[in-house]
Every structure is written in C-alpha cells, then in structure tokens.
Amino acid sequence: VQLVESGGGSVQAGGSLRLSCAASGYTYKRNCMGWFRQRPGKDREGLAVLWIGGATTTYADSVKGRFIITRDKGKDLVYLQMNSLKPEDTAVYYCAAAPTAVCFVHSILPGDFDYWGQGTQVTVS
C-alpha cells in the first residue's frame, strides 16, 4: 500500500485547509485510514480514523468538531477537512493505513498503523 498526502500549506488562524491522501496498491488489505500529525518536539498524535467499509469515524478530542475525515471510496482518496485552524495546529500531517479492526478500538495510536505517507506541512499563523 502506498499513501501520498497533499494539500498542506500556510493559512491564517481561523482559516481552513483540506488535506488529501491518495492510496494505491493492495488497499483492500488496509481498510482503516487515519490522519496523524507531529508538531515540533512532540510525539506523533492521532487525529481521526475512518473505516472505509462503512465510514465509521473516531476523532481525538483535540480536533473533534473542527476536523472531519471523509473518503471517496471509488477514487481511493481520504480527506481531512480542517476548519477553525489555530497556530497550535502547525505540524506535519500524515495519513496512514491499518487493518479494519484498528478502526473499532476507539483509540488512535500510531503503533497500530503499518503504512504511512511521507507527510505534508501545515503552518497556521
């Protein structure tokens, strides 16, 4: 499975960005998609997960109500719509893939995901 993120950039506080993650390869083996971020000097943080099969989602408290994870199943794309951005949202954002079961444990742990994109920078000022 190969994952490629896009859509990062610079935005003013209060603004919005939509990140995209294009998946290719044996995607049917990894139906739990997640978005993570890593802020400078911090550990990688789970933000949201989505089960491709039924669109079940889970969000971290830090982004609940501001970020939305969606997918275009036909195009193997997963999105992260980020609204009301804050300077503390500045980070490198990653998408990742995991087996289906990971989406139903109601926690978003980087160690549960075994395929990762290269990351895309988001800067909020």
Side-chain angles (χ1 to χ4, degrees):
V1 177
Q2 294 80 45
L3 304 172
V4 179
E5 303 96 336
S6 61
S10 297
V11 64
Q12 291 189 335
S16 298
L17 279 175
R18 188 178 78 161
L19 305 181
S20 299
C21 174
S24 61
Y26 294 100
T27 57
Y28 68 92
K29 293 184 176 181
R30 294 293 183 269
N31 282 328
C32 180
M33 299 297 295
W35 281 99
F36 297 79
R37 69 184 177 192
Q38 190 157 16
R39 293 181 277 191
K42 302 288 187 180
D43 292 336
R44 195 164 294 189
E45 173 190 9
L47 304 176
V49 296
L50 178 146
W51 175 48
I52 298 295
T56 302
T57 58
T58 300
Y59 292 93
D61 288 343
S62 59
V63 301
K64 197 175 294 182
R66 296 193 299 128
F67 291 9
I68 303 169
I69 185 171
T70 57
R71 98 293 197 196
D72 183 332
K73 191 175 181 181
K75 296 182 179 179
D76 284 338
L77 286 168
V78 176
Y79 305 102
L80 185 68
Q81 177 67 41
M82 305 187 295
N83 301 317
S84 302
L85 284 163
K86 307 173 184 179
E88 52 264 43
D89 293 319
T90 295
V92 178
Y93 284 71
Y94 300 88
C95 70
T100 295
V102 171
C103 271
F104 295 92
V105 298
H106 301 297
S107 60
I108 311 173
L109 301 176
D112 290 337
F113 289 76
D114 51 1
Y115 291 94
W116 291 85
Q118 82 289 351
T120 185
Q121 176 71 44
V122 172
T123 302
V124 185
S125 60

